[in-house]
Amino acid sequence: MSKGKLQKFADMARYPHVFEYPYSVADNVPFDMKGRWGESFFKNTRPIVLELGCGRGEYTVGLGRLFPEKNFIGVDIKGARMWSGATESLQAGMKNVAFLRTNIEIIDRFFAPGEVSELWLTFSDPQMKKATKRLTSTYFLERYRRFLTDGGLIHVKTDSNFLFTYTRCLLEANRLPAEVVTDNLYHSGLADEILGIRTYYEQQWLARGISIKYIRFRLPREGSLVEPDVEIPLDDYRSYGRDKRSGLEVSK
């Protein structure tokens, strides 16, 4: 029998590798590991990789298994979903995996300059109505710059043609060269064991015949960023309930 939400939250509260700082308490509860994740929690100086909007944590756990020489932190506000990856990694005894439950708008409160080397944005809500809520917008890229290493990697894996096109146009508008761009990952020859990690939601979109898109680029610390001035066709499958599948919640 699956556990209910209350029991999952109770589990998360006692998990040693889960840190819970939602927006509602972040101003009042001190967080003393900023700049000290390696020293205080992971007990090493290995690179730190974040998965933003980790949902059930498939990528956080999967990458942790593939790369024991790196540390991985899954970030999400949906604790009941995060419980799956948190529980799996705890039961597997993984020492290079942690989870942070918080709102993405305040992600820079938890990491010091240069503390993170890579970001994974896996199946983020495309937020077609408001650019500042898109996780690849200049609004968020400026926040990522505050803790990413100079030229840190950003991976974007999405089913959304809208988010894919928007991100590609943003890179072009800011002359940020993309290392990899494909609008059909599993027919591109690029789907290695890393990109082949499939989330719960990704499997749903594949089953419905929706192609998976992928972009990888580096974000320099310096330079101004501008939003692309383009009209982008909206995704035409909103009836599938994208809000229900998004593992990331933004403040109103």
Side-chain angles (χ1 to χ4, degrees):
M1 181 180 295
S2 62
K3 290 191 176 184
K5 282 188 177 182
L6 290 179
Q7 183 58 55
K8 288 180 179 179
F9 275 106
D11 288 347
M12 296 272 283
R14 62 181 176 79
Y15 285 177
H17 64 322
V18 174
F19 303 88
E20 301 189 80
Y21 290 84
Y23 192 84
S24 59
V25 304
D27 286 332
N28 303 314
V29 179
F31 184 81
D32 59 5
M33 273 201 322
K34 182 176 181 177
R36 302 176 60 247
W37 280 91
E39 172 190 350
S40 297
F41 178 75
F42 292 113
K43 309 300 183 184
N44 60 56
T45 58
R46 297 167 185 165
I48 293 176
V49 181
L50 304 186
E51 183 191 3
L52 301 183
C54 68
R56 300 185 178 199
E58 294 99 333
Y59 254 88
T60 300
V61 176
L63 291 171
R65 286 198 174 100
L66 289 172
F67 299 99
E69 72 279 9
K70 295 182 179 181
N71 301 315
F72 296 88
I73 304 174
V75 182
D76 208 305
I77 193 61
K78 300 289 188 179
R81 292 176 181 171
M82 184 187 290
W83 176 88
S84 296
T87 300
E88 181 180 353
S89 57
L90 181 66
Q91 292 177 345
M94 300 178 72
K95 302 300 183 183
N96 65 330
V97 169
F99 289 88
L100 172 64
R101 190 172 79 84
T102 193
N103 301 74
I104 195 65
E105 295 93 339
I106 58 172
I107 187 64
D108 52 309
R109 297 189 188 188
F110 303 95
F111 301 94
E115 191 170 16
V116 176
S117 62
E118 293 182 45
L119 296 179
W120 279 85
L121 308 178
T122 51
F123 300 92
S124 310
D125 191 314
Q127 297 288 350
M128 293 186 283
K129 292 183 179 180
K130 192 171 183 180
T132 55
K133 289 190 174 184
R134 297 169 201 155
L135 294 193
T136 55
S137 68
T138 58
Y139 178 87
F140 282 104
L141 292 183
E142 291 290 3
R143 279 159 174 73
Y144 305 156
R145 279 177 159 179
R146 296 172 189 169
F147 56 82
L148 264 180
T149 55
D150 192 15
L153 276 175
I154 297 182
H155 307 261
V156 181
K157 194 176 181 187
T158 181
D159 58 283
S160 170
N161 188 64
F162 178 91
L163 184 63
F164 172 77
T165 303
Y166 167 80
T167 303
R168 183 171 51 78
C169 291
L170 184 142
L171 296 182
E172 292 171 356
N174 291 282
R175 298 183 179 180
L176 298 176
E179 295 185 353
V180 178
V181 178
T182 177
D183 63 359
N184 199 334
L185 177 62
Y186 295 112
H187 287 82
S188 67
L190 297 171
D192 57 14
E193 60 180 353
I194 303 171
L195 294 173
I197 298 173
R198 297 187 181 184
T199 71
Y200 169 79
Y201 298 111
E202 178 177 2
Q203 293 180 61
Q204 290 185 340
W205 308 136
L206 286 169
R208 290 168 174 159
I210 298 172
S211 64
I212 304 303
K213 294 85 174 165
Y214 173 72
I215 297 177
R216 185 178 76 224
F217 66 98
R218 293 186 180 275
L219 181 64
R221 187 171 293 160
E222 302 298 329
S224 59
L225 296 172
V226 298
E227 285 291 321
D229 185 16
V230 293
E231 289 282 341
I232 303 174
L234 302 180
D235 294 334
D236 60 4
Y237 54 99
R238 294 288 289 176
S239 60
Y240 288 169
R242 295 187 61 92
D243 60 322
K244 293 182 180 179
R245 72 166 174 78
S246 174
L248 190 64
E249 183 176 277
V250 293
S251 302
K252 303 300 184 183

